[in-house]
């Protein structure tokens, strides 16, 4: 059965003394009427008794209505109206109640990963339906003495009574499996991952605020791992503090000028060439963001880009990279590199300012639109296909090229290639890595090349690491290749020198 939103609801009934007056007066009045019936009483006394009874029952009816209203109000105050679970007040009350009576209990916090993207792409109605289904799944895992709540947005919590950390983690894993089953949203199956953090009292203390911070730290760690269940340990406090410091430094780095030397360093852009596999000439370059930290050196993108995404910095980072790339394209064009590619995240695509930022950047640096290619992954694009189609369509109207990055690893669908204004496909490095050793991979690449060319698209292969792979890609008809075999991503000045020396070597053949 469904647990009550909070233990407070079990005490929502008003004090009995509120109705004792009318209830005590009623038998007295009834006794007087019986006496009148048997022995006779003066008419005035009888009328007075009837009037008193009428008033007593009227007052009783009024009091009962007020009691019901009070009970309803109290329940509403601790109930989430969308899911009928408890709300944040219910969670606070239950934690305070358990922290004072000494019983063991566990706190499970839940965050639905990427819920906002579902809400944005399918609409608020679908998002509400998903939250109701998630609430039902949370309720199905909760025991009769547990309290299940929705804290707000896509965050849920479960207070489990009488268990320790290990048992609570087991319960959380059951909940995870339930939450990650597909959701039926108007006949459309949608799958989400969840991040769950668990802590327990008395092992980690009894203070409600401290327990909430511990569970939140565990959720944050789980999100960093891409989802799953994480039980709190003291090491997470230090990790979270380091992450918070890194986020603060990243904020400063994004705001700092290029090649900043402050305590946060600066965001910089490196460039990797894309070459014609037949002639070896440069066809374009890809702009890749880096963080030059004064103590850590070059911070890997895999570490700071998720933080930037989580804290809303991707549009600012995109603008920073775009401006640097447009400022450099003239230098690269002098070596025959016809275009520069810039990665666009789903967040930047939905930002609403992207088209204006690109338009202004092209005008400011006097760059022809066809010299710019914007790359977005299949997975990110499909998260909000309607917005992607609209924004990319506006960019294509400007003359900007569009590339599908990491092609073959996401939601590959020919309908997307038919409906989207795409100029280029970038074959994911997982295909080039197995190309020389696996005949099926070669067949897939050959088919992809033929399909791309039949659709009038350019095919770029990433991750070229050796001469044998490059030769195979050349024979399979790939248009351009990119990878460490040619060059690592380099600062603009170093790549300019590399391109100059390469051009000289090609001319001397």
């Amino acid at each position: 059965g469904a647990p009550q939103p909070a233990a407070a609801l079990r005490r929502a009934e008003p004090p009995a003394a509120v109705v004792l007056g009318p209830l005590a007066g009623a038998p007295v009045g009834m006794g007087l009427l019986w006496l009148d019936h048997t022995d006779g009483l003066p008419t005035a006394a009888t009328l007075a008794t009837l009037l008193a009874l009428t008033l007593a029952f009227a007052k009783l009816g009024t009091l009962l209505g007020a009691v019901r209203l009070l009970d309803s109000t109290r329940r509403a105050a601790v109930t989430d109206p969308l899911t009928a679970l408890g709300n944040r007040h219910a969670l606070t009350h239950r934690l305070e109640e358990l922290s004072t009576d000494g019983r063991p209990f566990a706190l499970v916090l839940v965050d639905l990963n990427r819920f906002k993207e579902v809400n944005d792409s399918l609409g608020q109605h679908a998002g509400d339906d998903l939250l109701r289904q998630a609430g039902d799944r949370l309720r199905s895992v909760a025991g009769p003495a547990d309290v299940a709540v929705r804290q707000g947005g896509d965050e849920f919590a479960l207070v489990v009574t009488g268990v320790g950390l290990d048992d609570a983690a087991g319960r959380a894993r059951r909940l995870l499996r339930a939450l990650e089953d597909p959701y039926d949203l108007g006949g459309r199956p949608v799958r989400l991952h969840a991040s769950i953090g668990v802590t327990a009292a008395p092992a980690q203390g009894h203070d409600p605020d401290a327990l909430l911070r511990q569970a939140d730290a565990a959720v944050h760690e789980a999100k960093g791992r891409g989802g799953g269940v994480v039980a709190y340990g003291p090491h997470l406090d230090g990790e979270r503090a380091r992450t918070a410091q890194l986020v603060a430094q990243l904020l400063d780095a994004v705001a700092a000028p290029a090649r900043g030397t402050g305590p946060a360093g600066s965001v910089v852009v490196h460039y990797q060439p894309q070459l014609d596999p037949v002639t070896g000439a440069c066809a374009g370059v890809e702009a890749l963001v880096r963080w030059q930290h004064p103590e850590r050196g070059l911070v890997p993108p895999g570490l700071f880009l998720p933080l930037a995404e989580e804290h809303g910095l991707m549009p600012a980072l995109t603008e920073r990279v775009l401006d640097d790339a447009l400022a450099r394209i003239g230098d690269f064009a002098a070596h025959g590199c016809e275009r520069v590619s810039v990665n666009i995240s789903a967040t930047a695509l939905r930002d609403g300012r992207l088209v204006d930022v690109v338009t202004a950047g092209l005008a400011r640096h006097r760059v022809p639109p066809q010299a710019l290619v914007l790359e977005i992954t299949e997975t990110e694009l499909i998260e909000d296909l309607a917005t992607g189609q609209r924004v990319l369509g506006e960019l294509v109207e400007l003359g900007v090229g569009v590339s599908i990055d990491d092609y073959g690893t996401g939601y590959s669908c020919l309908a997307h290639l038919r409906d989207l204004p795409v100029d280029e496909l970038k074959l994911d490095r997982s295909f080039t890595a197995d190309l020389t050793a696996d005949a099926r991979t070669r067949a897939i690449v050959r088919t992809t090349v033929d399909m791309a060319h039949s659709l009038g698209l350019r095919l770029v292969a990433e991750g070229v690491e050796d001469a044998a792979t490059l030769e195979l890609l050349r024979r399979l008809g790939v248009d351009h290749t990119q990878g460490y075999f040619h060059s690592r991503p380099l600062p603009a000045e170093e790549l300019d020198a590399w391109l100059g020396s390469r051009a000289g070597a090609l001319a001397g053949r």
Side-chain angles (χ1 to χ4, degrees), residues 402 404 407 412-425 447-459 479:
V402 174
I404 301 298
Y407 185 77
S412 302
C413 179
L414 293 178
H416 299 156
L417 298 182
R418 179 195 64 192
D419 298 335
L420 291 167
V422 176
D423 302 292
E424 176 184 280
L425 301 181
T447 302
T448 304
V449 170
D450 292 341
M451 178 200 68
H453 289 169
S454 66
L455 293 172
L457 306 179
R458 182 173 59 245
L459 189 70
D479 297 291

Side-chain angles (χ1 to χ4, degrees), residues 8-160:
L9 298 184
R10 293 192 289 271
R11 297 198 296 273
E13 300 299 330
V18 175
V19 295
L20 284 181
L23 290 177
V28 175
M30 296 298 292
L32 290 173
L33 290 179
W34 176 256
L35 184 61
D36 174 59
H37 175 71
T38 56
D39 299 330
L41 289 175
T43 301
T46 302
L47 292 175
T49 300
L50 289 171
L51 179 61
L53 281 173
T54 300
L55 292 174
F57 282 116
K59 183 176 182 181
L60 181 61
T62 302
L63 285 172
L64 290 176
V67 165
R68 286 193 293 270
L69 178 61
L70 178 62
D71 181 54
S72 175
T73 302
R74 287 180 175 177
R75 288 179 179 273
V78 291
T79 302
D80 172 57
L82 180 64
T83 62
L85 298 174
N87 61 14
R88 189 183 298 272
H89 298 296
L91 175 64
T92 301
H93 181 92
R94 185 58 168 160
L95 291 176
E96 290 174 349
E97 180 183 60
L98 289 171
S99 67
T100 58
D101 67 13
R103 280 182 290 170
F105 67 93
L107 172 61
V108 179
L109 290 189
V110 180
D111 187 286
L112 299 180
N113 300 349
R114 313 187 89 164
F115 165 76
K116 185 178 183 300
E117 293 162 7
V118 173
N119 202 54
D120 290 344
S121 59
L122 301 182
Q124 185 175 345
H125 177 76
D128 288 349
D129 189 16
L130 189 151
L131 291 174
R132 280 189 288 266
Q133 293 183 45
D136 290 340
R137 298 179 187 190
L138 181 62
R139 188 180 285 112
S140 70
V141 173
D146 300 338
V147 171
V149 307
R150 175 181 171 231
Q151 295 200 84
D154 59 354
E155 297 178 353
F156 295 82
L158 182 66
V159 182
V160 186

Side-chain angles (χ1 to χ4, degrees), residues 216-262:
D216 190 58
V219 168
H220 191 271
E221 176 70 12
K223 290 183 73 171
R225 300 178 184 180
V229 176
V230 171
Y232 171 78
H235 68 284
L236 294 182
D237 292 330
E239 184 61 33
R240 193 174 189 190
R242 286 188 291 273
T243 300
Q245 182 186 35
L246 202 61
V247 170
Q249 291 176 329
L250 181 58
L251 285 165
D252 292 339
V254 172
R259 303 295 177 186
T261 57

Side-chain angles (χ1 to χ4, degrees), residues 70-390:
L70 178 62
D71 181 54
S72 175
T73 302
R74 287 180 175 177
R75 288 179 179 273
V78 291
T79 302
D80 172 57
L82 180 64
T83 62
L85 298 174
N87 61 14
R88 189 183 298 272
H89 298 296
L91 175 64
T92 301
H93 181 92
R94 185 58 168 160
L95 291 176
E96 290 174 349
E97 180 183 60
L98 289 171
S99 67
T100 58
D101 67 13
R103 280 182 290 170
F105 67 93
L107 172 61
V108 179
L109 290 189
V110 180
D111 187 286
L112 299 180
N113 300 349
R114 313 187 89 164
F115 165 76
K116 185 178 183 300
E117 293 162 7
V118 173
N119 202 54
D120 290 344
S121 59
L122 301 182
Q124 185 175 345
H125 177 76
D128 288 349
D129 189 16
L130 189 151
L131 291 174
R132 280 189 288 266
Q133 293 183 45
D136 290 340
R137 298 179 187 190
L138 181 62
R139 188 180 285 112
S140 70
V141 173
D146 300 338
V147 171
V149 307
R150 175 181 171 231
Q151 295 200 84
D154 59 354
E155 297 178 353
F156 295 82
L158 182 66
V159 182
V160 186
T161 309
V163 300
L165 190 61
D166 291 342
D167 290 339
R171 181 85 64 93
R173 284 188 285 273
R174 284 172 45 206
L175 176 58
L176 180 69
R177 289 192 293 271
L179 291 173
E180 293 190 340
D181 281 342
Y183 296 83
D184 183 357
L185 302 180
R188 177 174 180 171
V190 173
R191 187 185 295 273
L192 287 183
H193 296 298
S195 299
I196 301 180
V198 186
T199 189
Q204 305 296 345
H206 284 94
D207 180 65
D209 290 338
L211 292 169
L212 283 167
R213 287 194 298 271
Q214 293 166 9
D216 190 58
V219 168
H220 191 271
E221 176 70 12
K223 290 183 73 171
R225 300 178 184 180
V229 176
V230 171
Y232 171 78
H235 68 284
L236 294 182
D237 292 330
E239 184 61 33
R240 193 174 189 190
R242 286 188 291 273
T243 300
Q245 182 186 35
L246 202 61
V247 170
Q249 291 176 329
L250 181 58
L251 285 165
D252 292 339
V254 172
R259 303 295 177 186
T261 57
S266 178
V267 168
V268 296
V269 184
H270 288 186
Y271 295 87
Q272 189 172 35
Q274 298 171 347
L275 304 183
D276 185 318
V278 177
T279 66
C282 178
V285 296
E286 181 181 3
L288 299 164
V289 66
R290 298 291 187 262
W291 180 10
Q292 185 68 54
H293 194 281
E295 297 173 357
R296 297 173 179 239
L298 275 180
V299 180
L303 177 59
F304 74 88
L305 287 182
L307 292 176
E309 187 77 56
E310 182 179 350
H311 294 274
L313 293 175
M314 288 305 292
L317 269 178
T318 299
E319 189 169 351
R320 180 74 170 268
V321 174
L322 181 65
D323 188 71
D324 192 277
L326 293 175
R328 307 278 189 179
I329 185 60
D331 297 334
F332 300 138
H335 300 291
C337 306
E338 298 178 351
R339 60 185 178 273
V340 61
S341 299
V342 176
N343 291 280
I344 302 295
S345 70
T347 305
L349 194 67
R350 293 193 300 266
D351 180 49
R353 301 184 305 112
L354 180 62
V355 176
D356 292 338
V357 167
V358 171
T359 303
L362 291 171
R364 182 168 58 255
H365 296 288
R366 299 181 181 180
V367 173
Q370 63 269 22
L372 175 63
V373 176
L374 299 180
E375 299 184 6
I376 186 166
T377 67
E378 291 178 279
T379 302
E380 290 181 319
L381 186 57
I382 203 64
E383 288 167 359
D384 191 351
L385 191 57
T387 299
Q389 288 175 317
R390 176 179 58 78

